[in-house]
Amino acid sequence: MRKPFIAANWKMNKILKEAVEFTDDFKLYVKDVKDVDILVCVPFTLLSGMKKEIEGTNIKLGAQNLYYEDFGAYTGEISAPMIKEFAEYVLIGHSDRRAFFNETNQILNKKIKKALEHGLKVIYCIGEVIEERKQGKTKQVIETQLREGLANINDLSNIAIAYEPVWAISRGDPDIPAATPQAAQEVHSFIREMIGTLYGKETSQQLRILYGGSMKPSNVKELMAQEDIDGGLVGGASLKADSFAEIVNFRK
Ligand code: PGA
């Protein structure tokens, strides 16, 4: 009942020429896919070019961040109305933003609200770091990220959650293991339960919860077989058209 949702997070990678090359191949690999939502989240500099590249295809476009004001003297920032010209989605709260750019749950809450106000769809990223997991604090961290990040947001119909255990994110190292499907499922089911408590059962059953952290062609099937894993947010393995297409085609 929840349509699978596979999203690429290119992070700070690709110049336009490389993005075009990727898309030329990728759109052919996935042209017949109807039963999976496909999204590519690209650097701001590629939004305009990629919008043209994906026109008329089954591929959707997203940004990776935004600032929570509409316009003004915020040198170097990009706002929701600017993104909305090109893209349908935005990632909010990726662990890179939390770790390197000091984005707190309070800041992320403002960003989510601003994105929704302008009709953007949001993937809100959450996840614990290794020290938190070792101290047995995973659920506590997840609960706080959900409560604070989603504070005063009443409608989740344009939000998906990405659970990304920070210790499983590849950071360019293909040998970092993903969370086991069981470990991922345990947290996904906790997230759904929490959303049920905060928003009711119907909303929690409709919410798509994506897994992120070293998802690749070799483990996608097993991860997607878990009851509460509805998709993936894919970094390293989304940079090559063939490997990302294999992930999108996980059912084959
Ligand atoms: P990864 O990145 O697939 O390279 O682990 C996922 C992410 O950080 O979104």
Side-chain angles (χ1 to χ4, degrees):
M1 118 197 177
R2 294 182 294 268
K3 188 176 181 186
F5 187 7
I6 303 285
N9 174 15
W10 283 357
K11 311 187 184 182
M12 197 177 72
N13 290 294
K14 293 196 194 296
I15 58 172
L16 184 58
K17 179 175 174 285
E18 294 162 336
V20 170
E21 279 165 12
F22 171 101
T23 313
D24 284 346
D25 292 339
F26 182 67
K27 58 189 174 195
L28 296 177
Y29 294 145
V30 301
K31 68 179 182 349
D32 298 324
V33 175
K34 294 194 179 64
D35 51 0
V36 177
D37 283 331
I38 308 168
L39 172 67
V40 184
C41 296
V42 305
F44 294 132
T45 49
L46 300 179
L47 284 174
S48 166
M50 282 294 284
K51 184 185 180 197
K52 293 185 202 106
E53 281 300 304
I54 62 161
E55 213 171 313
T57 71
N58 52 349
I59 305 161
K60 296 176 204 296
L61 189 60
Q64 301 172 3
N65 178 32
L66 55 68
Y67 190 58
Y68 53 71
E69 297 291 346
D70 287 346
F71 298 100
Y74 304 100
T75 303
E77 291 300 302
I78 304 282
S79 70
M82 292 171 173
I83 293 169
K84 189 69 210 277
E85 283 196 294
F86 306 105
E88 195 180 334
Y89 279 86
V90 61
L91 298 179
I92 306 270
H94 187 275
S95 60
D96 292 341
R97 304 296 316 169
R98 293 176 186 266
F100 305 134
F101 303 97
N102 303 318
E103 295 192 5
T104 60
N105 293 327
Q106 286 69 27
I107 292 174
L108 299 172
N109 179 249
K110 287 196 201 180
K111 292 189 172 198
I112 297 173
K113 284 179 181 158
K114 190 48 85 173
L116 295 176
E117 181 190 318
H118 288 280
L120 286 165
K121 295 180 180 140
V122 170
I123 299 180
Y124 176 46
C125 307
I126 60 176
E128 81 287 2
V129 300
I130 189 65
E131 294 77 20
E132 292 163 337
R133 171 154 286 250
K134 282 187 179 154
Q135 291 163 13
K137 288 189 184 152
T138 298
K139 289 184 179 168
Q140 193 184 317
V141 169
I142 295 294
E143 175 165 351
T144 305
Q145 289 173 333
L146 286 173
R147 280 188 190 275
E148 296 182 352
L150 299 177
N152 301 313
I153 294 167
N154 300 320
D155 181 3
L156 296 195
S157 50
N158 285 324
I159 298 186
I161 301 287
Y163 169 61
E164 301 202 296
V166 179
W167 45 271
I169 293 179
S170 75
R171 308 203 58 77
D173 180 350
D175 295 329
I176 299 271
T180 63
Q182 295 70 26
Q185 165 59 25
E186 193 186 329
V187 181
H188 279 240
S189 116
F190 173 73
I191 293 168
R192 204 175 300 288
E193 200 181 295
M194 273 290 310
I195 295 295
T197 308
L198 296 171
Y199 292 90
K201 188 156 181 171
E202 202 182 318
T203 298
S204 79
Q205 286 305 314
Q206 283 164 359
L207 178 78
R208 290 191 288 188
I209 308 173
L210 282 49
Y211 168 80
S214 301
M215 184 181 260
K216 47 195 153 208
S218 59
N219 60 25
V220 60
K221 249 198 173 82
E222 235 190 324
L223 286 161
M224 290 299 291
Q226 303 301 310
E227 190 179 335
D228 292 294
I229 299 184
D230 308 312
L233 182 56
V234 187
S238 77
L239 291 171
K240 292 220 169 79
D242 54 353
S243 75
F244 189 50
E246 259 191 81
I247 295 174
V248 168
N249 284 310
F250 70 94
R251 284 201 179 98
K252 284 189 187 152

